[in-house]
């Protein structure tokens, strides 16, 4: 099935074959960006961001601009007619005439899915509440593919806020579909992965999942360490955030027993959970990860637009 004209709301909406196609094209674009510099001439990307973002919005904009297309949109819903009470449905009915493809971030879970019911052009979920963030997962996967070769036979530790972290939810669901993956989920007891999600991936894909509170214990055995931020904006009580915010801080000594070819990832933004000294470690690839996000989003845009089939 073609990706042309489809929405991307949940990572489950694309097959493994389609995922691999996006990643391969993204890596080709990364190797030879000039080849694609005019491929989207005359096309417009609309960005509808109801919640703050640096990487997702600007990497999408950079992707479209690097392919010769144009961008429009809002980065603060308060500067749009949302402030006057306009519904998401009406906003989409208008914007789908102004742009050829739309990216939406929204604080409410399910809003991009709702928007897709009203759109005649592809809608991409740029993150909805604590739910899903499928293009961050594409960013994570292209980074793993670039530095590990194949996405298979990997032991991955995911650390931090696994309850509210939408990047974790999308990543766990998606990596579980690749061959022979094993997960160590590290979090404070209050911020464990939602049980329904854990049960879903175990039942569907038969993956091995270990849950723990210790970051240090697994360090020698893992191939990838995926650190995440404690999601301040999702807490109901500030005192709970303050109590949990520094639960894990990766520093150079935590890495003493780690593998030579460990891949250290983080979706960013980072707050305090990776000490800046770690940035000089060649295994730290989170800024490279953010850069690759541009190329994988370029691939996604052209495939959804049908510019490349
Ligand atoms: N990783 C990510 O979604 O970053 P932004 O919130 O800056 O878009």
């Amino acid at each position: 099935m073609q990706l042309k004209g489809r929405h991307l709301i949940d990572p489950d909406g694309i097959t493994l074959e389609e995922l691999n196609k996006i990643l391969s094209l993204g890596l080709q674009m990364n190797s030879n960006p000039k080849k694609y510099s005019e491929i989207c001439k005359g096309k417009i990307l609309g960005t509808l961001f109801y919640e703050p973002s640096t990487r997702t919005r600007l990497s999408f904009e950079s992707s479209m601009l690097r392919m010769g297309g144009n961008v429009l949109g809002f980065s603060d819903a308060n500067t749009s007619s949302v402030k006057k009470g306009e519904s998401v449905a009406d906003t989409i009915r208008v914007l789908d005439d102004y742009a050829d493809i739309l990216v939406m971030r929204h604080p409410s879970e399910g809003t991009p899915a709702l928007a897709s019911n009203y759109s005649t052009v592809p809608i991409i979920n740029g993150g909805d509440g604590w739910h899903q963030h499928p293009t961050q997962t594409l960013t994570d996967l292209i980074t793993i593919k670039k530095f590990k070769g194949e996405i298979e036979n990997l032991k991955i530790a995911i650390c931090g806020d696994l309850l509210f972290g939408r990047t974790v939810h999308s990543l766990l669901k998606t990596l579980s579909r690749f061959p022979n993956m094993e997960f160590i989920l590290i979090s404070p007891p209050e911020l464990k992965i939602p049980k329904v999600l854990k049960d879903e991936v175990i039942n569907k894909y038969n993956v091995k999942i270990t849950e723990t509170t210790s970051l240090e214990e697994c360090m020698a055995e893992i191939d990838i360490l995926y650190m995440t931020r404690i999601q301040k904006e999702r807490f109901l009580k500030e005192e709970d955030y303050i109590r949990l915010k520094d639960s894990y801080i990766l520093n150079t000594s935590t890495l003493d027993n780690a593998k030579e070819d460990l891949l250290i990832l983080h979706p960013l933004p980072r707050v305090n959970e990776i000490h800046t000294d770690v940035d000089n470690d060649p295994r730290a690839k989170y800024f490279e990860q953010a850069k690759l996000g541009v190329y994988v989003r370029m691939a996604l845009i052209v495939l959804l637009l049908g510019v490349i089939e």
Side-chain angles (χ1 to χ4, degrees):
M1 209 168 141
Q2 282 193 337
L3 283 159
K4 181 181 176 181
R6 303 226 317 254
H7 306 297
L8 176 57
I9 304 300
D10 186 298
D12 283 350
I14 37 182
T15 65
L16 209 48
E17 194 184 333
E18 289 163 345
L19 264 174
N20 281 318
K21 185 174 176 174
I22 297 167
L23 300 180
S24 298
L25 180 58
L27 287 172
Q28 283 171 39
M29 291 172 141
N30 175 230
S31 317
N32 188 5
K34 264 200 175 140
K35 182 176 168 192
Y36 304 93
S37 63
E38 301 212 358
I39 197 170
C40 282
K41 219 168 178 172
K43 300 288 185 193
I44 299 174
L45 169 80
T47 54
L48 291 73
F49 277 64
Y50 293 76
E51 199 182 60
S53 167
T54 296
R55 273 145 297 272
T56 307
R57 184 175 66 83
L58 295 176
S59 65
F60 263 114
E61 293 195 1
S62 177
S63 299
M64 195 47 146
L65 295 171
R66 281 167 192 269
M67 296 191 290
N70 288 298
V71 296
L72 55 78
F74 55 81
S75 56
D76 175 359
N78 286 322
T79 63
S80 76
S81 285
V82 171
K83 182 82 174 162
K84 301 172 201 160
E86 186 168 44
S87 68
V88 165
D90 285 1
T91 304
I92 295 296
R93 283 187 181 115
V94 173
L95 264 291
D96 71 356
D97 289 323
Y98 295 175
D100 301 294
I101 185 164
L102 300 171
V103 188
M104 173 185 270
R105 171 170 288 188
H106 204 282
S108 298
E109 298 76 29
T111 302
L114 173 81
S116 70
N117 294 327
Y118 297 95
S119 181
T120 58
V121 301
I123 291 214
I124 300 166
N125 179 2
D128 59 327
W130 50 261
H131 192 216
Q132 298 294 330
H133 194 345
T135 67
Q136 180 60 48
T137 296
L138 293 177
T139 301
D140 304 338
L141 295 185
I142 195 172
T143 313
I144 296 172
K145 199 166 169 68
K146 179 161 179 169
F147 291 105
K148 289 285 180 195
E150 291 307 319
I151 306 176
E152 58 187 21
N153 303 321
L154 295 168
K155 193 179 265 197
I156 300 161
I158 307 180
C159 176
D161 186 347
L162 311 188
L163 176 64
F164 296 124
R166 59 191 171 203
T167 66
V168 171
H169 301 162
S170 289
L171 183 64
L172 181 65
K173 265 164 63 128
T174 310
L175 278 179
S176 296
R177 295 156 70 186
F178 287 84
N180 198 23
M181 307 300 272
E182 187 175 335
F183 300 96
I184 300 174
L185 302 182
I186 307 159
S187 71
E190 298 94 324
L191 299 178
K192 280 168 78 168
I193 199 88
K195 187 176 178 311
V196 64
L197 175 57
K198 187 179 86 173
D199 291 348
E200 180 190 323
V201 294
I202 290 173
N203 292 335
K204 255 191 187 170
Y205 308 110
N206 199 25
V207 288
K208 184 173 175 207
I209 293 183
T210 308
E211 291 182 283
T212 175
T213 55
S214 167
L215 172 59
E216 286 76 13
E217 272 173 21
C218 69
M219 202 50 75
E221 55 181 298
I222 55 175
D223 303 299
I224 297 174
L225 174 60
Y226 192 91
M227 294 296 292
T228 65
R229 171 177 71 91
I230 306 294
Q231 305 274 304
K232 180 180 184 185
E233 64 276 30
R234 314 268 176 239
F235 280 77
L236 295 177
K237 291 190 206 152
E238 197 185 359
E239 70 235 40
D240 288 338
Y241 169 71
I242 290 168
R243 182 169 50 83
L244 294 167
K245 71 184 172 74
D246 290 328
S247 296
Y248 301 100
I249 300 176
L250 181 70
N251 55 40
T252 49
S253 58
T254 326
L255 291 165
D256 279 349
N257 298 325
K259 289 184 179 177
E260 286 292 309
D261 63 348
L262 174 73
L263 194 55
I264 306 169
L265 302 179
H266 190 309
L268 306 178
R270 147 178 71 180
V271 182
N272 213 18
E273 57 281 355
I274 301 182
H275 193 284
T276 50
D277 285 353
V278 176
D279 300 354
N280 298 321
D281 189 308
R283 295 168 290 187
K285 298 292 189 205
Y286 27 90
F287 291 112
E288 188 75 20
Q289 183 184 359
K291 177 177 161 185
L292 286 166
V294 172
Y295 297 99
V296 84
R297 289 180 172 108
M298 282 167 64
L300 179 66
I301 289 169
V302 296
L303 290 167
L304 295 184
L305 284 175
V307 173
I308 292 180
E309 294 195 347

